[in-house]
């Protein structure tokens, strides 16, 4: 039986795969670049993401049984498929760096400062491979739970921080101008890039191909709603300069949240809810990279590839996270340079080839 | 044993010898020979299984028959069974195997000289336990009858509740040596499509020497054989089985056990009690929520406590942290060790209380919980807060209606404790996540175990986290086939709205 997930699960996967990094690490980068206008950059990034998600869904609707790799193979032959698989593997290999930055720095810097980094990597890989082994259906169900966790987390944070909300911290709007704010949105683009490339890999396993486009853009909008609350609160409660001081700025906001005098620290509950999204990022990266590897090596089942994929991704993640400076530098500088060309160009190239080889496509 | 597959001959002596040889000299197998006029015969029956009064009646019938007939040969055996035997069920058979099975099930085999067929008369009549209230599933409001060890009594409990010709009990026999009767109960036309066939296919694959309890069947047919969670619900309650049948599910009844199996089963049902449906829906919903809370407490509380005390003390409100710290001041053990010891001690007391005779068991519990607990705290071996945590966890696990689920929780608690006690929040979160992945990955007869939460099904939510009033539960669950509407239109009760209507009512 071929695994099929619902469009609702696909929306939940979009939300959870973007959320974890976008609320904290990305907002810190945005704050360092454009100050309190980070929420505008997030919205501008979402608009770009919606376009790319629609394009991704529209491309794959032409061949609903194929993902990006299969699409390239059907149009341009076996080797084109392998090249696309390699590009996708590289994408998820490097994405694992910022994902590990998000996961490990949340846990290590704020809760377990004495624990060795390899422990986090090993545990993340065990959970990721365990989830990846069970397949997309289970991850999608987990994403539904994750979406619920996201809503709970937002409500908890809102409840704990609203009393210190100062709207003056959000003014003046668009302080650095539209161009610079738009340019800064590339940091958020790297977050939705994970969702669009993931969609390029899993859409054939989503039911009702006629609804993919709608599910894609509605997922991006819902994610934007869930995320934009964070930069607004970070700017209004912490202020942009304070947000800019931290790699994981959302944790600082969560630490400050309190309900009355007795519940003055509840970031532990929030981090438990947050980890659902973070762990889904890890599982999905491993799942997609194992899929790409299985295509490269012509292995029918992706599961045996989870271990080599995990070793490669884990090694890169470990190397990156060892040094905070290297981690943040890669996340802000190199990662956009790697991810955005793939996220933008891969669908555009495939779409162009789809147009050029229209007859071949219709035969396929 | 080759004789088992043979047909009987018309020689009484030969047939008697064959059957005697097959059954051996077993003390409980009785052979009653009779000879009335020209009619000669032998009755075989198992003492204790067959009702001896009924066997006597059969022999008496032949006595009357023999005295008034010159020869029996001019009557067919079917005619004899129709006109002579007064018992409710009588069959004519030829295969020796069928007769042996019948004897061992409490029937009486009657061999007559000169006939190539024999009579198998139903004379089942062994001692049975009376119908009692199920000891593992008590209710405050609801029927008090429970299943017994007799499969026919159990099917009658269901039949009494569902007086519908579509209620079916399909019979199978499993166990090469025990020949245990198994009945698959379902409502024809309502049961989920393909479910009965799937159950039969799984049951027919079972090759085992004996089935002594439904647990054997459960383990041999469930979807997730290595899971600590049971994907088949077991129950002693006929009302629970009847409700499941009305929802399009099926049940397996096994002879010699009061525990029936319901399939498919969902995670959420393990936390629902029959009272939820019999009491006011507000109460039903409240107690259901309370049980969900108890479930989470039971799984997470000890590990959360250990995690907080070992790694994240700053997360505890200051005054509470001081209280806990003062209690732990003299305790020489790390909190993880303390928790593991306490959990094991609690399980030990529970197990000892269960296995001992009732009055002694209670004494063990009292000695364990009060005296040892108090002494351990006074000796500074255990902190008072840990005793409270373990006690709350224990009480929470008692609130879970399904016994098998409370077992699963008890098993899960230990890895959760170790993960939280060694890796703090990281271990707690990741262990919980792995449990979640496992729960989300398992199925029960094709249905996702965690449904209808994940995968999400909006139409099913009237009876999951909350229990809406009966008049709002218009449709059956989507697993059922046929007519999905279970309730007529406009069933919400309302008082007469105008004074005229009120007057008419009077």
């Amino acid at each position: 039986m071929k695994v099929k997930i619902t469009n609702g699960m696909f929306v939940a996967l979009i939300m959870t795969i973007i959320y974890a990094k976008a609320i904290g690490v990305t907002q810190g980068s945005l704050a360092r670049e454009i100050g309190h206008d980070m929420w505008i950059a997030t919205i501008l990034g979402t608009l770009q993401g919606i376009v790319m998600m629609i394009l991704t869904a529209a491309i794959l609707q032409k061949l609903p049984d194929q993902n990006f790799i299969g699409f390239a193979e059907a149009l341009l032959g076996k080797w084109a498929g392998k090249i696309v698989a390699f590009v996708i593997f590289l994408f998820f290999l490097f994405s694992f760096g910022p994902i590990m930055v998000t996961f490990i720095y949340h846990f290590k810097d704020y809760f377990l400062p004495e624990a060795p980094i390899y422990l986090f990597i090993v545990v993340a890989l065990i959970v990721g491979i365990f989830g990846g082994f069970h397949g997309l259906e289970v991850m999608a169900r987990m994403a539904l739970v994750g979406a619920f966790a996201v809503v709970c987390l937002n409500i908890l944070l809102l409840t704990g921080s609203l009393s210190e909300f100062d709207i003056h911290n959000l003014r003046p709007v668009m302080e650095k101008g539209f161009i610079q704010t738009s340019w800064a949105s590339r940091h958020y683009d790297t977050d939705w890039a994970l969702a669009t490339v993931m969609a390029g890999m899993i859409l054939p396993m989503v039911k009702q191909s006629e609804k993919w486009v709608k599910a894609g853009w509605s997922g991006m909008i819902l994610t934007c709603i869930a995320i934009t609350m964070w930069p607004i609160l970070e700017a209004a409660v912490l202020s942009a300069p304070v947000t800019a001081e931290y790699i994981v700025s959302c944790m600082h906001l969560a630490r400050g949240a309190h309900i009355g005098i007795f519940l003055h620290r509840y970031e532990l509950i929030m981090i438990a809810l947050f980890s659902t999204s973070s762990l889904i990022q890890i599982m999905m990266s491993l799942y997609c990279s194992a899929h790409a590897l299985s295509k490269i090596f012509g292995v029918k089942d992706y599961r045996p590839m989870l271990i080599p994929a995990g070793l490669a991704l884990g090694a890169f993640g470990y190397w990156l996270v060892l040094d905070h400076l290297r981690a943040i530098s890669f996340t802000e500088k190199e990662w956009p340079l790697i991810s955005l060309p793939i996220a933008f160009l891969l669908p555009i190239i495939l779409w162009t080839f789809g147009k050029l080889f229209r007859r071949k496509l219709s035969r396929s | 044993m080759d004789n088992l597959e043979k047909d009987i001959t018309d020689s009484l002596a030969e047939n008697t010898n064959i059957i005697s040889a097959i059954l051996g000299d077993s003390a409980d197998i009785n052979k009653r020979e009779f000879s009335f006029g020209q009619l000669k015969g032998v009755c075989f029956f198992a003492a204790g299984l067959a009702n001896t009064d009924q066997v006597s009646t059969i022999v008496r019938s032949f006595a009357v028959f023999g005295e008034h007939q010159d020869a029996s040969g001019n009557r067919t055996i079917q005619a004899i069974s129709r006109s002579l035997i007064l018992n409710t069920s009588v069959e004519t058979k030829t295969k020796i195997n069928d007769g042996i099975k019948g004897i061992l099930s409490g029937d009486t085999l009657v061999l007559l000289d000169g006939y190539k067929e024999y009579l198998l008369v139903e004379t089942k009549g062994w001692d049975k336990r009376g119908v009692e209230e199920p000891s593992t599933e008590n209710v405050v409001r609801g029927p008090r009858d429970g299943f017994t060890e007799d499969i026919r009594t159990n099917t009658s409990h269901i039949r009494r509740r569902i007086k519908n010709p579509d209620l079916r009990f399909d019979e199978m026999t499993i166990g090469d040596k025990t020949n245990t009767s198994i009945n698959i109960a379902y409502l024809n036309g309502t049961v989920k499509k393909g479910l009965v066939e799937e159950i039969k296919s799984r049951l027919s694959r079972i090759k085992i020497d004996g089935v002594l309890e439904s647990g054997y069947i459960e383990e041999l047919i469930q979807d997730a054989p290595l899971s600590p969670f049971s994907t088949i619900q077991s129950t002693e309650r006929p009302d629970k089985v009847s409700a499941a049948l009305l929802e399009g599910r099926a049940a397996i009844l096994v002879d010699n056990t009061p525990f029936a199996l319901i399939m498919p089963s969902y995670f959420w049902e393990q936390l629902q009690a029959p009272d939820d449906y019999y009491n006011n829906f507000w109460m039903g919903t409240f107690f259901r929520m309370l049980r969900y809370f108890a479930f989470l407490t039971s799984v997470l509380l000890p590990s959360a406590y250990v995690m907080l005390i070992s790694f994240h003390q700053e997360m505890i409100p200051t005054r509470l942290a001081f209280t806990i710290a003062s209690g732990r001041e003299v305790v020489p053990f790390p909190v993880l060790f303390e928790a593991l010891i306490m959990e094991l001690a609690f399980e030990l007391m529970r197990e000892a209380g269960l296995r001992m005779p009732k009055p002694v068991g209670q004494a063990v519990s009292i000695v364990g919980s009060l005296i040892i607990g108090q002494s351990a705290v006074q000796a500074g071996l255990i902190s008072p807060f840990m005793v409270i945590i373990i006690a709350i966890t224990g009480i929470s696990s008692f609130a879970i209606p399904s016994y098998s689920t409370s077992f699963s929780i008890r098993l899960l608690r230990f890895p959760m404790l170790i993960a939280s006690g060694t890796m703090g929040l990281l271990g707690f979160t990741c262990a919980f996540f792995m449990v979640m992945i496992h729960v989300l990955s398992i199925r029960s007869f094709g249905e996702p175990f965690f449904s209808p939460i994940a995968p999400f099904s909006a139409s099913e939510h009237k009876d999951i986290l909350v229990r809406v009033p009966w008049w709002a539960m218009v449709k059956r669950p989507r697993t059922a086939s046929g007519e999905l509407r279970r309730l007529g239109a406009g069933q919400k009760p309302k008082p007469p709205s105008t004074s005229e209507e009120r007057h008419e009512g009077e």
Side-chain angles (χ1 to χ4, degrees):
Chain A
M1 189 181 74
K2 201 175 175 187
V3 172
K4 284 277 181 189
I5 62 169
T6 62
N7 278 283
M9 288 175 174
F10 177 55
V11 170
L13 275 170
I14 293 174
M15 186 185 270
T16 45
I17 204 167
I18 298 177
Y19 186 82
K21 178 173 167 278
I23 60 168
V25 176
T26 302
Q27 301 307 331
S29 304
L30 286 171
R32 282 187 280 281
E33 205 165 316
I34 51 162
H36 58 256
D37 286 332
M38 43 196 172
W39 64 277
I40 301 174
T42 306
I43 292 171
L44 290 173
T46 301
L47 295 176
Q48 299 162 56
I50 289 171
V51 173
M52 294 316 296
M53 183 59 89
I54 290 172
L55 185 65
T56 302
I59 292 166
L60 291 179
Q61 271 178 335
K62 307 278 183 207
L63 280 180
D65 289 338
Q66 300 293 343
N67 56 19
F68 273 171
I69 301 167
F71 189 90
E73 202 175 308
L75 280 187
L76 304 163
K78 192 177 161 189
W79 283 100
K82 284 191 188 290
I83 291 168
V84 170
F86 183 65
V87 169
I88 288 174
F89 174 72
L90 282 183
F91 176 87
F92 282 106
L93 172 69
F94 290 119
S95 79
F96 209 66
I99 287 171
M100 280 293 107
V101 167
T102 310
F103 180 71
I104 294 176
Y105 290 169
H106 268 87
F107 278 92
K108 185 172 166 60
D109 293 0
Y110 290 86
F111 295 99
L112 299 159
E114 286 167 26
I117 284 177
Y118 68 80
L119 179 73
F120 296 93
I121 297 279
V122 168
V123 171
L125 286 179
I126 289 171
V127 178
I129 290 172
F130 186 66
F133 181 84
H134 281 93
L136 180 67
E137 202 178 7
V138 172
M139 285 191 282
R141 288 178 196 163
M142 198 69 218
L144 283 175
V145 178
F148 176 71
V150 163
V151 173
C152 293
L153 171 54
N154 280 9
I155 291 170
L156 274 178
L157 185 87
L158 207 62
T159 317
S161 349
L162 217 53
S163 57
E164 288 169 33
F165 190 91
D166 184 359
I167 200 153
H168 297 295
N169 285 342
L170 291 167
R171 290 165 59 195
V173 177
M174 208 83 90
E175 193 182 17
K176 298 268 169 84
F178 180 74
I179 303 288
Q180 205 173 333
T181 310
S182 303
W183 175 240
S185 68
R186 70 185 184 286
H187 294 298
Y188 182 69
D189 292 349
T190 60
D191 297 335
W192 61 248
L194 268 176
T196 55
V197 179
M198 172 197 77
M201 291 296 285
I202 67 162
L203 267 178
M205 287 175 266
V206 179
K207 287 175 188 168
Q208 297 173 295
S209 59
E210 68 280 3
K211 289 186 179 172
W212 288 354
V213 172
K214 191 184 169 191
W217 63 253
S218 51
M220 297 298 277
I221 290 173
L222 283 172
T223 309
C224 179
I225 293 168
I227 289 168
T228 313
M229 187 197 90
W230 287 81
I232 293 174
L233 284 175
E234 278 157 357
V237 176
L238 294 179
S239 82
V242 174
T243 307
E245 290 293 315
Y246 295 94
I247 296 176
V248 189
S249 51
C250 60
M251 268 315 295
H252 199 66
L253 181 69
R255 266 196 166 176
H258 57 92
I259 303 171
I261 300 167
F262 192 72
L263 260 181
H264 64 123
R265 296 279 300 266
Y266 59 95
E267 69 258 34
L268 194 96
I269 301 167
M270 289 199 265
I271 201 77
L273 295 168
F274 154 89
S275 61
T276 323
S277 169
S278 194
L279 287 166
I280 285 168
Q281 281 189 333
I282 293 166
M283 286 195 300
M284 193 48 86
S285 301
L286 286 164
Y287 174 81
C288 290
S289 52
H291 251 292
L293 272 186
S294 70
K295 291 289 174 191
I296 294 169
F297 293 109
V299 181
K300 269 195 171 178
D301 189 6
Y302 75 93
R303 285 184 175 91
M305 289 294 151
L306 278 167
I307 301 287
L311 289 174
L313 270 62
F316 176 69
Y318 180 69
W319 171 79
L320 192 71
V321 174
L322 267 180
D323 182 347
H324 276 69
L325 202 61
R326 179 165 59 208
I328 202 65
S329 166
F330 178 85
T331 308
E332 288 185 357
K333 290 174 189 161
E334 286 86 6
W335 172 231
L337 290 174
I338 296 165
S339 65
L340 297 186
I342 296 173
F344 279 101
L345 289 179
L346 187 60
I348 291 171
I349 290 170
L350 290 176
W351 179 77
T352 312
F353 277 114
K355 288 285 172 196
L356 288 173
F357 298 98
R358 205 174 299 164
R359 280 188 188 165
K360 201 173 179 184
L361 192 66
S362 56
R363 274 203 305 275
S364 300
Chain B
M1 285 295 145
D2 292 342
N3 288 333
L4 278 172
E5 297 306 320
K6 284 183 181 169
D7 288 338
I8 62 160
T9 64
D10 57 359
S11 161
L12 179 65
E14 192 182 338
N15 294 336
T16 308
N17 287 340
I18 290 171
I19 290 172
S20 298
I22 291 169
L23 295 172
D25 294 327
S26 189
D28 65 328
I29 303 295
N30 287 4
K31 188 170 82 174
R32 167 73 165 87
E33 293 175 6
F34 58 83
S35 174
F36 304 112
Q38 290 180 359
L39 183 69
K40 289 189 179 121
V42 177
C43 289
F44 282 97
F45 62 94
L49 289 182
N51 183 332
T52 45
D53 290 345
Q54 289 192 32
V55 179
S56 306
T57 310
I58 294 167
V59 176
R60 202 174 301 126
S61 306
F62 282 111
V64 176
F65 177 76
E67 281 168 14
H68 293 86
Q69 297 292 323
D70 297 335
S72 58
N74 54 10
R75 277 199 167 196
T76 63
I77 197 142
Q78 284 82 7
I80 294 172
S81 79
R82 274 199 300 272
S83 60
L84 199 63
I85 306 296
L86 303 174
N87 294 55
T88 50
S89 172
V90 56
E91 289 176 283
T92 54
K93 302 260 186 189
T94 56
K95 283 254 180 293
I96 291 173
N97 195 15
D98 295 334
I100 299 295
K101 277 185 185 170
I103 295 167
L104 300 178
S105 304
D107 294 337
T108 299
L109 185 151
V110 185
L111 291 169
L112 294 174
D113 195 22
Y115 287 94
K116 284 187 170 179
E117 289 169 294
Y118 63 86
L119 295 172
L120 193 62
V121 189
E122 185 168 316
T123 52
K124 293 182 180 76
W126 52 80
D127 288 336
K128 295 175 197 169
R129 180 169 67 92
V131 176
E132 290 168 16
E133 188 170 2
S135 55
T136 55
E137 294 166 281
N138 291 331
V139 292
V140 177
R141 178 174 176 176
R144 300 276 186 246
D145 55 341
F147 286 134
T148 67
E149 285 73 15
D150 181 51
I151 195 166
R152 277 301 142 249
T153 309
N154 297 344
T155 54
S156 72
H157 279 309
I158 301 169
R159 181 70 76 183
R160 266 178 50 217
R161 285 171 169 82
I162 306 174
K163 299 178 187 75
N164 190 303
D166 285 333
L167 174 64
R168 305 284 157 81
F169 296 100
D170 289 358
E171 180 136 14
M172 290 178 91
T173 306
I174 297 181
D176 295 339
K177 301 239 184 283
T178 56
N179 286 310
T180 309
S181 287
I182 307 249
N183 279 196
I184 306 163
Y186 61 95
L187 258 178
N188 197 23
T190 306
V191 67
K192 184 191 167 198
K193 282 197 176 80
L195 178 63
V196 177
E197 291 74 22
E198 179 61 29
I199 294 170
K200 283 182 181 171
S201 140
R202 291 189 192 192
L203 287 175
S204 60
R205 281 201 296 267
I206 298 176
K207 298 277 177 269
I208 191 169
D209 59 345
V211 174
L212 301 180
E213 215 278 334
S214 55
Y216 287 47
I217 302 290
E218 185 180 342
E219 279 196 27
L220 288 163
I221 63 168
Q222 68 179 349
D223 293 57
L226 298 176
S227 174
F229 291 95
S230 177
T231 52
I232 294 175
Q233 197 179 3
S234 62
T235 181
E236 283 187 270
R237 298 191 62 87
D239 55 334
K240 224 169 171 174
V241 170
S242 306
L245 300 187
L246 290 170
E247 289 181 349
R249 286 184 274 161
I252 294 178
L253 305 167
V254 179
D255 202 11
N256 301 317
T257 175
F259 286 92
L261 305 173
I262 299 173
M263 62 229 54
S265 166
Y266 304 99
F267 170 79
W268 307 97
E269 282 164 2
Q270 325 260 343
L271 302 175
Q272 295 169 1
D275 302 49
D276 295 355
Y277 299 95
Y278 305 142
N279 282 316
N280 176 290
F281 70 96
W282 289 113
M283 278 168 70
T285 301
F286 173 74
F287 287 114
R288 190 173 281 188
M289 294 277 192
L290 200 66
R291 263 177 255 125
Y292 291 144
F293 178 72
F295 170 75
L296 285 176
T297 306
S298 180
V299 181
L300 301 178
L301 185 66
S303 21
Y305 175 75
V306 168
M307 169 187 75
L308 284 169
I309 300 298
S310 307
F311 292 93
H312 312 296
Q313 302 88 346
E314 72 280 8
M315 296 295 140
I316 308 168
T318 315
R319 291 175 68 177
L320 181 62
F322 280 135
T323 312
I324 296 169
S326 64
R328 279 196 50 75
E329 207 172 11
V330 290
V331 179
F333 307 118
V335 69
L336 172 63
F337 184 74
E338 192 188 351
L340 282 173
I341 292 289
M342 281 297 283
E343 280 287 357
L344 281 173
F346 187 80
E347 292 301 328
L348 193 69
M349 276 189 280
R350 179 144 59 177
E351 189 63 16
L354 199 70
R355 305 291 158 215
M356 302 286 276
K358 256 186 186 171
V360 187
Q362 282 170 357
V364 166
S365 301
I366 292 164
V367 169
S369 56
L370 291 180
I371 300 173
I372 298 179
Q374 184 67 23
S375 309
V377 170
Q378 281 179 348
L381 293 172
I382 302 292
S383 69
F385 218 81
M386 180 58 84
V387 176
I388 296 169
I389 293 287
I390 298 299
I392 293 173
T393 309
I395 291 167
S396 299
S397 71
F398 292 142
I400 292 159
S402 164
Y403 202 58
S404 59
T405 306
S406 68
F407 267 124
S408 317
I409 293 167
R410 283 151 69 179
L411 286 178
L412 287 177
R413 220 181 275 152
F414 289 97
M416 286 286 297
L417 256 178
I418 292 166
S420 310
T422 52
M423 291 182 279
L425 180 61
L426 179 74
F428 178 82
T429 312
C430 290
F432 186 67
F433 206 81
M434 286 181 82
V435 172
M436 281 297 291
I437 291 172
H438 171 70
V439 173
L440 289 169
S441 71
I442 53 180
R443 288 174 176 271
S444 173
F445 281 78
E447 290 293 315
F449 189 52
F450 214 61
S451 177
I453 296 291
F456 188 79
S457 173
S459 61
E460 307 288 303
H461 279 264
K462 288 181 174 178
D463 188 22
I464 296 294
L465 295 176
V466 296
R467 202 279 278 174
V468 300
W470 271 110
W471 43 260
M473 266 197 263
V474 181
K475 288 184 176 173
R476 294 181 210 282
R478 68 188 159 76
T479 41
S481 60
E483 175 58 58
L484 278 185
R485 210 177 166 85
R486 75 193 310 175
L487 209 68
Q491 293 294 301
K492 184 182 175 185
K494 53 181 177 186
S497 53
T498 62
S499 57
E500 288 83 21
E501 281 176 322
R502 275 199 295 273
H503 189 69
E504 280 170 23
E506 286 162 15

